[in-house]
Amino acid sequence: MGAKTWMIAYVDSGTKLVDVFSASPQLDREASSKLAMELFPGMKLVPDADGYLSYTCPPRKQVFAGCYPGVSVVAASQLGIDYPSKLPATYLSAARGRDIYFLAMHSVVDWFAFAIWSSGKLTRSLSLSPDSKVLEDIGEHLPFEAPYWSGQRKVDSDDDEPYPLPFRPLELGEVALFHFFGYSLEGGPGNDLPDEPRFDADSIVLAGFRGSKPWWKIW
């Protein structure tokens, strides 16, 4: 399947995602349903098979949502956007004062993007791929990004043309996923990630929904 994800997390101030997930939290299905319906008002959502935090790249017409103490996570294809700073207002207003963590990546095109909003303000946003290069780079680089921008994760290319970025986006994406959420999909380069995740992402249940627009609308 490769490394693919498109998700957003709403986190109470002072709460760490990894601490919540490491405690094997109980899914609040009612709250999860309400959040999914709030974010996708144009879809007629009905319960579907559950998903897991290890799989946050549901196809179109499917949504995963999980509400836990202090943390809410939503995964949907609509979140696979190139410019995180242009995230629709619906997603931002759902935070209600909580911090927002956005993360998306797709291994087929080696694209990765992430963003953070704190107290309603965008503090960091990055989106890049080898074809499009740097699409967005807003705010100061975070400490875990340093080895990548400084050339320590330079890509050795066998092609005549050098790799167009100072690192592979998916490698930084795995590190960002671990840094914010506490797990990774396919691991990262060198010693950037520990050998073992903080928790089993397969054990964190997300409520599943599938939806369709009314018959008088066209997809």
Side-chain angles (χ1 to χ4, degrees):
M1 181 181 67
K4 294 190 293 183
T5 182
W6 24 81
M7 64 177 170
I8 190 170
Y10 302 101
V11 187
D12 288 354
S13 180
T15 297
K16 293 184 178 180
L17 283 158
V18 64
D19 291 341
V20 173
F21 294 144
S22 297
S24 301
Q26 186 71 29
L27 173 68
D28 185 333
R29 290 189 178 275
E30 182 178 355
S32 301
S33 179
K34 288 181 179 179
L35 178 59
M37 292 180 181
E38 176 184 355
L39 294 180
F40 305 97
M43 298 173 67
K44 182 180 179 181
L45 293 175
V46 296
D48 199 10
D50 285 342
Y52 300 90
L53 193 62
S54 57
Y55 176 70
T56 50
C57 56
R60 188 174 177 85
K61 296 187 182 182
Q62 189 174 19
V63 173
F64 291 138
C67 292
Y68 317 93
V71 170
S72 296
V73 178
V74 175
S77 62
Q78 290 89 332
L79 291 166
I81 60 175
D82 289 334
Y83 297 89
S85 67
K86 297 180 181 180
L87 194 70
T90 302
Y91 298 100
L92 300 179
S93 62
R96 296 184 180 85
R98 293 176 292 176
D99 295 336
I100 300 176
Y101 294 86
F102 166 93
L103 194 145
M105 55 183 172
H106 200 311
S107 59
V108 173
V109 291
D110 202 12
W111 166 71
F112 161 62
F114 84 98
I116 304 170
W117 286 260
S118 181
S119 299
K121 179 182 179 181
L122 178 67
T123 59
R124 179 74 180 114
S125 179
L126 175 68
S127 178
L128 70 171
S129 73
D131 288 338
S132 301
K133 301 183 177 59
V134 178
L135 292 160
E136 189 163 89
D137 186 3
I138 299 172
E140 295 184 4
H141 295 172
L142 300 178
F144 69 82
E145 300 179 58
Y148 294 84
W149 294 109
S150 66
Q152 297 179 49
R153 301 295 181 266
K154 187 176 180 180
V155 179
D156 293 325
S157 177
D158 296 330
D159 300 330
D160 293 334
E161 294 293 329
Y163 193 75
L165 294 169
F167 55 85
R168 293 193 182 279
L170 263 292
E171 292 185 353
L172 178 58
E174 293 281 0
V175 174
L177 180 61
F178 192 91
H179 180 82
F180 294 125
F181 289 82
Y183 71 102
S184 65
L185 296 175
E186 296 187 340
N191 296 319
D192 287 346
L193 296 177
D195 293 333
E196 296 293 334
R198 291 276 300 276
F199 63 92
D200 181 6
D202 286 329
S203 69
I204 306 300
V205 179
L206 301 175
F209 305 91
R210 55 184 169 83
S212 61
K213 291 190 176 182
W215 64 268
W216 43 268
K217 287 189 177 182
I218 300 176
W219 282 100

